[in-house]
Amino acid sequence: MDKTYNHKNSENEIYAYWESLDLFSPEKSYKAREKAELENKNDTFSVLMPPPNANAPLHCGHATYAIQDIMARIKRMQGFKTLYLPGTDHAGFETQVVYERKLKEQGKSRFDFDRDTLYEKVLNFVKENSQMATDQLKKLGMSADWERLTFMLDDHVIDTVYNTFEKMHEDGLVYRDTYMVNYSTFHGTTFSNLETTHKESVSPLYYVKYALKDSEEIITVATVRPETIYADVAIAVNPDDSRYGKMVGKVAINPLNGKELEIIEDSYVDPEFGTGALKITPGHDFNDYEIGQKHNLPIITVIDLEGKMTKDAVDVSGMYPKPARKKVAEILEDKGALVKVDEKYKHSLLADYKDKREIEPLPLPNWFIKMEGLAEEAKKVIKKEEVKFNRPLWKKEILRWLNEIYDWPISRQIVFGIKIPVWYDIEKNPDLHVTFIDQKGVSHDGKIENLLKNHDLADIKEGLQKLIAPIGAEYEVSRNPPGEKYIQETDTFDTWFSSGQWPLTTLKYPNNKDFKEFFPTDFMDSMWDILFFWIARMIMFSLYLTDQIPFKNVYIHGAITDEKGKKMSKSKGNVINPMEFIEEYGADALRMGLVVGGNTAAKQTALSEDKVRGYRNFANKIWNMARFMELMKEDFGEKVPLYNPENYKLALQKEDKDLLKELEKTVTKVNEELEKYRFADAGNEVYHFMWHTLADEYIETVKDRKDKKVALSVLDHAYKTCLKLLHPFMPFATEKIWQEITEDEVPLMISQWPKV
RNA sequence: GGGUUUGUAGCUCAGCCGGUUAGAGCGCUGCAUUCACAUUGCAGAGGUCCCCUGUUCGAGUCAGGGCAAACCCACCA
């Protein structure tokens, strides 16, 4: 054996060794131990890998996948037929954003391509880079069955997603509605509430005068968005506000376009804010939209999907809202309608979570799923703890969200995703608004009825970019065109609509053998940030489709931060690349640093280089313990027999008995801690026993022992037991050492897990 | 505005059902080391367990109040 442990060579070599023996396959690893006395012979254990983005390198958070791998390795060693099923995600929106940045570098944008071409381009980009994520997961030591790797856009996944949509449609859970959505004119798509955030900002607050019809009176409102005054439909005051009581029911005149606006009462209005009078613009504000619905007010929009002012905003038509705002303020000033401007007004602006770009609330046709019934079922299994969380906190959180749930907008106006399987008959829907590029690359836009006067339907379909069907449009749910004169919906599913079905798609619900054998799965690990996005939806989809829970235990881990507990971010320059740590200290050390050096169940876990270095030293320590043991055995001359409690009872010295007792305690403790998913405590037990009891104390006594045969066989036994306990945490080093010190035994990975 | 979590050694954190003298890793100090490992060993320093009040024979742990930090949800034009 070398003087020090070399993780660089060993890790690659050992992973290849496992692969060559097919040990990641539940069937093969199970077979390899067929003759052994397996304890849980007839039981299976399954854990699904949360799919990382197929085309991005792994970040530190992915190193927490070690938790899943630890569970899989323990169960495998305990004799369970164990499936750790890996996969990758197309990450629709994320990927398209990345690809659009790439296009921008080439001086192009998504508008230069028709839908199908753009989709192909993005897909190829993903395929070119998709090895990256899986290669890196292998470097981390994941004992996943790569033969079963599922990609979110695999045919069978799309097939399941379509089946689900069809079933939901038949069950009346799918509807289209004009709905106030979070629309990003920058990204050209809708976001769900979960995907938006608020950012602090300072904007001018304009106080604008509205004259009352046939009267000298005026009413002043405060607004940060004067450019939407064109879309005002009413003015609201609080019913208890005595200042305005006598104005209610009267009519104000829109200072920009002269339209009449009724003054209405609504308790939503805060008399304390601004002037206590609120302009109602249902087309551009969520609260106004609700008030508008309540009072049956019309909806007017003056901003289009490209984010420009429409021709209804006469003076500023074609401008973007920000410059339009300034221009409108000038116009109001000229008209004497601008009372004052509070330049330092602080408020929060709605933005997308990804780029923090402003969100434009717009009433748009969208596809929705009714959530109430689905949420009810999910709540039941969570309350009964059929799905059990590792901390009570997460149970509480997920129930809170399920209690406040609202319908889920599942359509996204992006190209890279699974197309919604819906078709529109062009003859029945002459109002379809279509955008397409003709063969010369010229973009056309308009109602299908008009476009067909100058273009062939085939050309329109070929160059199709975007389609917006009016709310009442007739449609057919189908995977294939129902006839010649049909155009497919261009919206795609929200990423979470497909990943929410991950347990079903990966196991090939409903008829595949895997589904029958491994569903419901046993263990699901995820971070709290996608508790609602993903965990909750998987539970709902699974119950809806199979009446079964998708997984029995959910382990929610925390965010990985830098050594000071600060969030890693590129701008702070404190991002740790897991691959660099693996290169420098080894995957084993990284896994230990994360899972044993901190508490992964906390809301956040700090990872530091010092910690990882410490565990690299530990790997070297156990390597040298083995090396020393081998040297002592060599010195001793004859073959040291395997430890057997029956044969040795009488020959044992006090220190042997003490050690064996300690070993027993350690095994018990480790099993207890793991039972409770206390990985750090379990790992620490082994760490401490090996380094301080076995190495610092016992080995020192062995050096002077006269009955070396007894001592060495006790040492051999204790050490090997520890290697097994440590294997799930440090799979590479332990397996490598196992190869060095054993001869005829099965690989450590499928050896029998120690118990008392 | 509603909610959650956290506060213990220089740093990151354990301390689980209330029970001797409060622990670990890293860091720090001193010494040792041609003997498996300097990626080592031995020894050591370092704590108002955030503050106050209470319950208790006994509180880092339980209850009430405060202070501080982080996060989640909602969001006033």
Side-chain angles (χ1 to χ4, degrees), chain A residues 2 17 38 45 70 133 307 347 365 432 452 456 472 481 552 588 618 652-653 680 688 696 724-725 731-732 749:
Chain A
D2 292 338
Y17 165 69
L38 294 183
F45 182 85
I70 287 169
H347 67 141
L432 289 178
L452 281 171
D456 283 349
K552 296 165 195 158
D588 287 333
F618 178 58
L652 292 179
Q653 301 297 309
H688 202 266
D696 290 346
K724 289 179 178 180
L725 293 175
F732 292 114
M749 184 180 150

PDB file of all heavy atoms in Angstrom, chain A residues 2 17 38 45 70 133 307 347 365 432 452 456 472 481 552 588 618 652-653 680 688 696 724-725 731-732 749:
ATOM      1  N   ASP A   2       0.370   2.288  -0.700  1.00  0.00           N
ATOM      2  CA  ASP A   2       1.106   3.554  -0.736  1.00  0.00           C
ATOM      3  C   ASP A   2       1.099   4.206   0.645  1.00  0.00           C
ATOM      4  O   ASP A   2       0.307   3.877   1.497  1.00  0.00           O
ATOM      5  CB  ASP A   2       0.451   4.517  -1.735  1.00  0.00           C
ATOM      6  CG  ASP A   2       0.621   4.028  -3.156  1.00  0.00           C
ATOM      7  OD1 ASP A   2       1.560   3.230  -3.383  1.00  0.00           O
ATOM      8  OD2 ASP A   2      -0.193   4.416  -4.015  1.00  0.00           O
ATOM      9  N   TYR A  17     -14.965   0.158 -11.365  1.00  0.00           N
ATOM     10  CA  TYR A  17     -15.055  -1.199 -10.818  1.00  0.00           C
ATOM     11  C   TYR A  17     -16.516  -1.556 -10.502  1.00  0.00           C
ATOM     12  O   TYR A  17     -17.025  -2.606 -10.888  1.00  0.00           O
ATOM     13  CB  TYR A  17     -14.175  -1.264  -9.574  1.00  0.00           C
ATOM     14  CG  TYR A  17     -14.355  -2.446  -8.640  1.00  0.00           C
ATOM     15  CD1 TYR A  17     -13.984  -3.732  -9.030  1.00  0.00           C
ATOM     16  CD2 TYR A  17     -14.850  -2.257  -7.353  1.00  0.00           C
ATOM     17  CE1 TYR A  17     -14.109  -4.811  -8.155  1.00  0.00           C
ATOM     18  CE2 TYR A  17     -14.978  -3.319  -6.464  1.00  0.00           C
ATOM     19  CZ  TYR A  17     -14.613  -4.595  -6.870  1.00  0.00           C
ATOM     20  OH  TYR A  17     -14.741  -5.641  -5.996  1.00  0.00           O
ATOM     21  N   LEU A  38     -29.459 -13.032   3.060  1.00  0.00           N
ATOM     22  CA  LEU A  38     -29.957 -11.661   3.094  1.00  0.00           C
ATOM     23  C   LEU A  38     -31.101 -11.538   4.081  1.00  0.00           C
ATOM     24  O   LEU A  38     -31.984 -12.372   4.143  1.00  0.00           O
ATOM     25  CB  LEU A  38     -30.443 -11.248   1.709  1.00  0.00           C
ATOM     26  CG  LEU A  38     -29.375 -11.153   0.646  1.00  0.00           C
ATOM     27  CD1 LEU A  38     -29.989 -10.669  -0.640  1.00  0.00           C
ATOM     28  CD2 LEU A  38     -28.270 -10.225   1.085  1.00  0.00           C
ATOM     29  N   PHE A  45     -36.240  -1.191  -1.929  1.00  0.00           N
ATOM     30  CA  PHE A  45     -36.062   0.178  -1.465  1.00  0.00           C
ATOM     31  C   PHE A  45     -35.815   1.029  -2.695  1.00  0.00           C
ATOM     32  O   PHE A  45     -35.002   0.686  -3.545  1.00  0.00           O
ATOM     33  CB  PHE A  45     -34.873   0.270  -0.506  1.00  0.00           C
ATOM     34  CG  PHE A  45     -34.669   1.650   0.044  1.00  0.00           C
ATOM     35  CD1 PHE A  45     -35.377   2.080   1.155  1.00  0.00           C
ATOM     36  CD2 PHE A  45     -33.784   2.538  -0.578  1.00  0.00           C
ATOM     37  CE1 PHE A  45     -35.209   3.364   1.651  1.00  0.00           C
ATOM     38  CE2 PHE A  45     -33.622   3.820  -0.087  1.00  0.00           C
ATOM     39  CZ  PHE A  45     -34.326   4.231   1.036  1.00  0.00           C
ATOM     40  N   ILE A  70     -26.342   7.900   0.306  1.00  0.00           N
ATOM     41  CA  ILE A  70     -26.117   7.251   1.598  1.00  0.00           C
ATOM     42  C   ILE A  70     -27.274   6.305   1.906  1.00  0.00           C
ATOM     43  O   ILE A  70     -27.079   5.142   2.265  1.00  0.00           O
ATOM     44  CB  ILE A  70     -25.954   8.312   2.716  1.00  0.00           C
ATOM     45  CG1 ILE A  70     -24.594   8.996   2.590  1.00  0.00           C
ATOM     46  CG2 ILE A  70     -26.112   7.672   4.100  1.00  0.00           C
ATOM     47  CD1 ILE A  70     -24.441  10.232   3.483  1.00  0.00           C
ATOM     48  N   ALA A 133     -23.801  16.868 -16.494  1.00  0.00           N
ATOM     49  CA  ALA A 133     -24.425  16.658 -15.187  1.00  0.00           C
ATOM     50  C   ALA A 133     -24.231  15.224 -14.709  1.00  0.00           C
ATOM     51  O   ALA A 133     -23.856  14.990 -13.553  1.00  0.00           O
ATOM     52  CB  ALA A 133     -25.903  17.007 -15.255  1.00  0.00           C
ATOM     53  N   GLY A 307     -44.833  44.539 -24.556  1.00  0.00           N
ATOM     54  CA  GLY A 307     -44.529  45.516 -23.517  1.00  0.00           C
ATOM     55  C   GLY A 307     -44.615  46.942 -23.996  1.00  0.00           C
ATOM     56  O   GLY A 307     -44.074  47.849 -23.370  1.00  0.00           O
ATOM     57  N   HIS A 347     -41.660  51.723  -2.648  1.00  0.00           N
ATOM     58  CA  HIS A 347     -42.655  50.635  -2.697  1.00  0.00           C
ATOM     59  C   HIS A 347     -41.979  49.393  -3.262  1.00  0.00           C
ATOM     60  O   HIS A 347     -40.791  49.397  -3.586  1.00  0.00           O
ATOM     61  CB  HIS A 347     -43.859  51.054  -3.541  1.00  0.00           C
ATOM     62  CG  HIS A 347     -43.555  51.241  -4.994  1.00  0.00           C
ATOM     63  ND1 HIS A 347     -44.402  50.866  -5.990  1.00  0.00           N
ATOM     64  CD2 HIS A 347     -42.463  51.760  -5.624  1.00  0.00           C
ATOM     65  CE1 HIS A 347     -43.853  51.153  -7.164  1.00  0.00           C
ATOM     66  NE2 HIS A 347     -42.691  51.699  -6.969  1.00  0.00           N
ATOM     67  N   PRO A 365     -55.413  35.017 -21.822  1.00  0.00           N
ATOM     68  CA  PRO A 365     -55.964  33.662 -21.797  1.00  0.00           C
ATOM     69  C   PRO A 365     -54.866  32.702 -21.354  1.00  0.00           C
ATOM     70  O   PRO A 365     -53.741  32.776 -21.815  1.00  0.00           O
ATOM     71  CB  PRO A 365     -56.339  33.388 -23.252  1.00  0.00           C
ATOM     72  CG  PRO A 365     -56.159  34.651 -23.987  1.00  0.00           C
ATOM     73  CD  PRO A 365     -55.292  35.546 -23.186  1.00  0.00           C
ATOM     74  N   LEU A 432     -58.288  33.512 -34.218  1.00  0.00           N
ATOM     75  CA  LEU A 432     -56.975  33.116 -33.682  1.00  0.00           C
ATOM     76  C   LEU A 432     -55.928  34.149 -34.055  1.00  0.00           C
ATOM     77  O   LEU A 432     -55.787  34.493 -35.224  1.00  0.00           O
ATOM     78  CB  LEU A 432     -56.537  31.771 -34.282  1.00  0.00           C
ATOM     79  CG  LEU A 432     -57.257  30.506 -33.849  1.00  0.00           C
ATOM     80  CD1 LEU A 432     -56.665  29.327 -34.611  1.00  0.00           C
ATOM     81  CD2 LEU A 432     -57.137  30.303 -32.355  1.00  0.00           C
ATOM     82  N   LEU A 452     -54.813  34.250 -43.905  1.00  0.00           N
ATOM     83  CA  LEU A 452     -55.055  33.214 -44.919  1.00  0.00           C
ATOM     84  C   LEU A 452     -55.380  33.803 -46.286  1.00  0.00           C
ATOM     85  O   LEU A 452     -55.283  33.126 -47.299  1.00  0.00           O
ATOM     86  CB  LEU A 452     -56.185  32.293 -44.464  1.00  0.00           C
ATOM     87  CG  LEU A 452     -55.758  31.237 -43.423  1.00  0.00           C
ATOM     88  CD1 LEU A 452     -56.960  30.526 -42.859  1.00  0.00           C
ATOM     89  CD2 LEU A 452     -54.761  30.262 -44.013  1.00  0.00           C
ATOM     90  N   ASP A 456     -50.529  30.644 -47.483  1.00  0.00           N
ATOM     91  CA  ASP A 456     -51.017  29.270 -47.374  1.00  0.00           C
ATOM     92  C   ASP A 456     -50.997  28.842 -45.913  1.00  0.00           C
ATOM     93  O   ASP A 456     -50.103  29.226 -45.168  1.00  0.00           O
ATOM     94  CB  ASP A 456     -50.083  28.308 -48.133  1.00  0.00           C
ATOM     95  CG  ASP A 456     -50.344  28.405 -49.611  1.00  0.00           C
ATOM     96  OD1 ASP A 456     -51.357  29.037 -49.988  1.00  0.00           O
ATOM     97  OD2 ASP A 456     -49.523  27.854 -50.371  1.00  0.00           O
ATOM     98  N   GLY A 472     -62.983  32.154 -25.704  1.00  0.00           N
ATOM     99  CA  GLY A 472     -64.050  31.216 -26.010  1.00  0.00           C
ATOM    100  C   GLY A 472     -63.715  30.232 -27.126  1.00  0.00           C
ATOM    101  O   GLY A 472     -64.575  29.493 -27.587  1.00  0.00           O
ATOM    102  N   PRO A 481     -52.717  16.101 -35.070  1.00  0.00           N
ATOM    103  CA  PRO A 481     -53.709  17.013 -35.646  1.00  0.00           C
ATOM    104  C   PRO A 481     -55.010  16.263 -35.935  1.00  0.00           C
ATOM    105  O   PRO A 481     -54.977  15.205 -36.567  1.00  0.00           O
ATOM    106  CB  PRO A 481     -53.041  17.492 -36.933  1.00  0.00           C
ATOM    107  CG  PRO A 481     -51.826  16.664 -37.131  1.00  0.00           C
ATOM    108  CD  PRO A 481     -51.476  16.040 -35.844  1.00  0.00           C
ATOM    109  N   LYS A 552     -42.749   7.664   0.792  1.00  0.00           N
ATOM    110  CA  LYS A 552     -43.159   7.523   2.192  1.00  0.00           C
ATOM    111  C   LYS A 552     -42.474   8.545   3.095  1.00  0.00           C
ATOM    112  O   LYS A 552     -43.069   9.042   4.029  1.00  0.00           O
ATOM    113  CB  LYS A 552     -42.830   6.108   2.683  1.00  0.00           C
ATOM    114  CG  LYS A 552     -43.619   5.036   1.942  1.00  0.00           C
ATOM    115  CD  LYS A 552     -43.041   3.653   2.165  1.00  0.00           C
ATOM    116  CE  LYS A 552     -43.609   2.682   1.145  1.00  0.00           C
ATOM    117  NZ  LYS A 552     -42.751   1.499   0.960  1.00  0.00           N
ATOM    118  N   ASP A 588     -15.183  11.779  -1.385  1.00  0.00           N
ATOM    119  CA  ASP A 588     -15.469  11.299  -0.031  1.00  0.00           C
ATOM    120  C   ASP A 588     -15.384  12.438   0.974  1.00  0.00           C
ATOM    121  O   ASP A 588     -16.251  12.589   1.831  1.00  0.00           O
ATOM    122  CB  ASP A 588     -14.445  10.233   0.384  1.00  0.00           C
ATOM    123  CG  ASP A 588     -14.676   8.916  -0.344  1.00  0.00           C
ATOM    124  OD1 ASP A 588     -15.819   8.653  -0.738  1.00  0.00           O
ATOM    125  OD2 ASP A 588     -13.699   8.164  -0.495  1.00  0.00           O
ATOM    126  N   PHE A 618      -8.939  12.511   7.251  1.00  0.00           N
ATOM    127  CA  PHE A 618      -9.535  11.315   7.833  1.00  0.00           C
ATOM    128  C   PHE A 618      -9.413  10.123   6.867  1.00  0.00           C
ATOM    129  O   PHE A 618      -9.091   9.004   7.281  1.00  0.00           O
ATOM    130  CB  PHE A 618     -10.994  11.586   8.185  1.00  0.00           C
ATOM    131  CG  PHE A 618     -11.720  10.396   8.763  1.00  0.00           C
ATOM    132  CD1 PHE A 618     -11.255   9.773   9.922  1.00  0.00           C
ATOM    133  CD2 PHE A 618     -12.872   9.900   8.153  1.00  0.00           C
ATOM    134  CE1 PHE A 618     -11.925   8.685  10.471  1.00  0.00           C
ATOM    135  CE2 PHE A 618     -13.535   8.807   8.699  1.00  0.00           C
ATOM    136  CZ  PHE A 618     -13.073   8.197   9.851  1.00  0.00           C
ATOM    137  N   LEU A 652      -9.570 -13.649  24.998  1.00  0.00           N
ATOM    138  CA  LEU A 652      -9.642 -12.195  24.938  1.00  0.00           C
ATOM    139  C   LEU A 652      -9.103 -11.528  26.206  1.00  0.00           C
ATOM    140  O   LEU A 652      -9.381 -11.962  27.313  1.00  0.00           O
ATOM    141  CB  LEU A 652     -11.098 -11.746  24.730  1.00  0.00           C
ATOM    142  CG  LEU A 652     -11.723 -12.088  23.386  1.00  0.00           C
ATOM    143  CD1 LEU A 652     -13.158 -11.599  23.332  1.00  0.00           C
ATOM    144  CD2 LEU A 652     -10.913 -11.493  22.232  1.00  0.00           C
ATOM    145  N   GLN A 653      -8.321 -10.469  25.991  1.00  0.00           N
ATOM    146  CA  GLN A 653      -7.823  -9.668  27.106  1.00  0.00           C
ATOM    147  C   GLN A 653      -8.848  -8.586  27.431  1.00  0.00           C
ATOM    148  O   GLN A 653      -9.786  -8.358  26.668  1.00  0.00           O
ATOM    149  CB  GLN A 653      -6.492  -9.000  26.714  1.00  0.00           C
ATOM    150  CG  GLN A 653      -5.418  -9.980  26.322  1.00  0.00           C
ATOM    151  CD  GLN A 653      -5.035 -10.889  27.478  1.00  0.00           C
ATOM    152  OE1 GLN A 653      -4.746 -10.434  28.575  1.00  0.00           O
ATOM    153  NE2 GLN A 653      -5.052 -12.205  27.244  1.00  0.00           N
ATOM    154  N   ALA A 680     -25.338  13.220  10.329  1.00  0.00           N
ATOM    155  CA  ALA A 680     -24.132  13.788  10.919  1.00  0.00           C
ATOM    156  C   ALA A 680     -23.752  13.024  12.190  1.00  0.00           C
ATOM    157  O   ALA A 680     -22.584  12.703  12.402  1.00  0.00           O
ATOM    158  CB  ALA A 680     -24.339  15.268  11.232  1.00  0.00           C
ATOM    159  N   HIS A 688     -15.304   9.135  15.125  1.00  0.00           N
ATOM    160  CA  HIS A 688     -14.698   9.215  16.443  1.00  0.00           C
ATOM    161  C   HIS A 688     -14.173   7.862  16.910  1.00  0.00           C
ATOM    162  O   HIS A 688     -13.072   7.754  17.443  1.00  0.00           O
ATOM    163  CB  HIS A 688     -15.708   9.774  17.453  1.00  0.00           C
ATOM    164  CG  HIS A 688     -15.054  10.367  18.649  1.00  0.00           C
ATOM    165  ND1 HIS A 688     -14.844   9.636  19.800  1.00  0.00           N
ATOM    166  CD2 HIS A 688     -14.519  11.585  18.862  1.00  0.00           C
ATOM    167  CE1 HIS A 688     -14.216  10.400  20.669  1.00  0.00           C
ATOM    168  NE2 HIS A 688     -14.003  11.587  20.132  1.00  0.00           N
ATOM    169  N   ASP A 696      -5.971   5.687  18.015  1.00  0.00           N
ATOM    170  CA  ASP A 696      -5.143   6.298  19.069  1.00  0.00           C
ATOM    171  C   ASP A 696      -4.931   5.360  20.251  1.00  0.00           C
ATOM    172  O   ASP A 696      -3.886   5.404  20.902  1.00  0.00           O
ATOM    173  CB  ASP A 696      -5.792   7.597  19.559  1.00  0.00           C
ATOM    174  CG  ASP A 696      -5.728   8.683  18.499  1.00  0.00           C
ATOM    175  OD1 ASP A 696      -4.961   8.497  17.534  1.00  0.00           O
ATOM    176  OD2 ASP A 696      -6.428   9.690  18.621  1.00  0.00           O
ATOM    177  N   LYS A 724     -17.474  -0.833   6.850  1.00  0.00           N
ATOM    178  CA  LYS A 724     -18.848  -1.017   6.370  1.00  0.00           C
ATOM    179  C   LYS A 724     -19.734   0.149   6.805  1.00  0.00           C
ATOM    180  O   LYS A 724     -20.494   0.692   6.016  1.00  0.00           O
ATOM    181  CB  LYS A 724     -19.427  -2.323   6.914  1.00  0.00           C
ATOM    182  CG  LYS A 724     -18.797  -3.559   6.287  1.00  0.00           C
ATOM    183  CD  LYS A 724     -19.394  -4.811   6.895  1.00  0.00           C
ATOM    184  CE  LYS A 724     -18.798  -6.060   6.235  1.00  0.00           C
ATOM    185  NZ  LYS A 724     -19.382  -7.283   6.813  1.00  0.00           N
ATOM    186  N   LEU A 725     -19.599   0.510   8.079  1.00  0.00           N
ATOM    187  CA  LEU A 725     -20.417   1.619   8.586  1.00  0.00           C
ATOM    188  C   LEU A 725     -20.095   2.923   7.873  1.00  0.00           C
ATOM    189  O   LEU A 725     -20.940   3.790   7.705  1.00  0.00           O
ATOM    190  CB  LEU A 725     -20.190   1.805  10.094  1.00  0.00           C
ATOM    191  CG  LEU A 725     -20.675   0.699  11.022  1.00  0.00           C
ATOM    192  CD1 LEU A 725     -20.254   1.008  12.454  1.00  0.00           C
ATOM    193  CD2 LEU A 725     -22.188   0.524  10.941  1.00  0.00           C
ATOM    194  N   PRO A 731     -17.745   6.287   0.120  1.00  0.00           N
ATOM    195  CA  PRO A 731     -17.783   5.034  -0.633  1.00  0.00           C
ATOM    196  C   PRO A 731     -16.457   4.669  -1.316  1.00  0.00           C
ATOM    197  O   PRO A 731     -16.090   3.495  -1.355  1.00  0.00           O
ATOM    198  CB  PRO A 731     -18.885   5.279  -1.666  1.00  0.00           C
ATOM    199  CG  PRO A 731     -19.048   6.760  -1.740  1.00  0.00           C
ATOM    200  CD  PRO A 731     -18.691   7.291  -0.398  1.00  0.00           C
ATOM    201  N   PHE A 732     -15.755   5.682  -1.813  1.00  0.00           N
ATOM    202  CA  PHE A 732     -14.556   5.376  -2.610  1.00  0.00           C
ATOM    203  C   PHE A 732     -13.406   4.840  -1.759  1.00  0.00           C
ATOM    204  O   PHE A 732     -12.868   3.770  -2.026  1.00  0.00           O
ATOM    205  CB  PHE A 732     -14.092   6.623  -3.361  1.00  0.00           C
ATOM    206  CG  PHE A 732     -15.026   7.073  -4.436  1.00  0.00           C
ATOM    207  CD1 PHE A 732     -15.701   8.278  -4.326  1.00  0.00           C
ATOM    208  CD2 PHE A 732     -15.214   6.308  -5.575  1.00  0.00           C
ATOM    209  CE1 PHE A 732     -16.552   8.715  -5.333  1.00  0.00           C
ATOM    210  CE2 PHE A 732     -16.070   6.735  -6.590  1.00  0.00           C
ATOM    211  CZ  PHE A 732     -16.740   7.939  -6.465  1.00  0.00           C
ATOM    212  N   MET A 749     -19.422  -2.625  -1.220  1.00  0.00           N
ATOM    213  CA  MET A 749     -20.702  -2.001  -1.547  1.00  0.00           C
ATOM    214  C   MET A 749     -21.888  -2.937  -1.344  1.00  0.00           C
ATOM    215  O   MET A 749     -22.994  -2.482  -1.058  1.00  0.00           O
ATOM    216  CB  MET A 749     -20.643  -1.513  -3.003  1.00  0.00           C
ATOM    217  CG  MET A 749     -21.862  -0.768  -3.438  1.00  0.00           C
ATOM    218  SD  MET A 749     -21.681  -0.257  -5.149  1.00  0.00           S
ATOM    219  CE  MET A 749     -23.400  -0.298  -5.625  1.00  0.00           C
TER     220      MET A 749
END
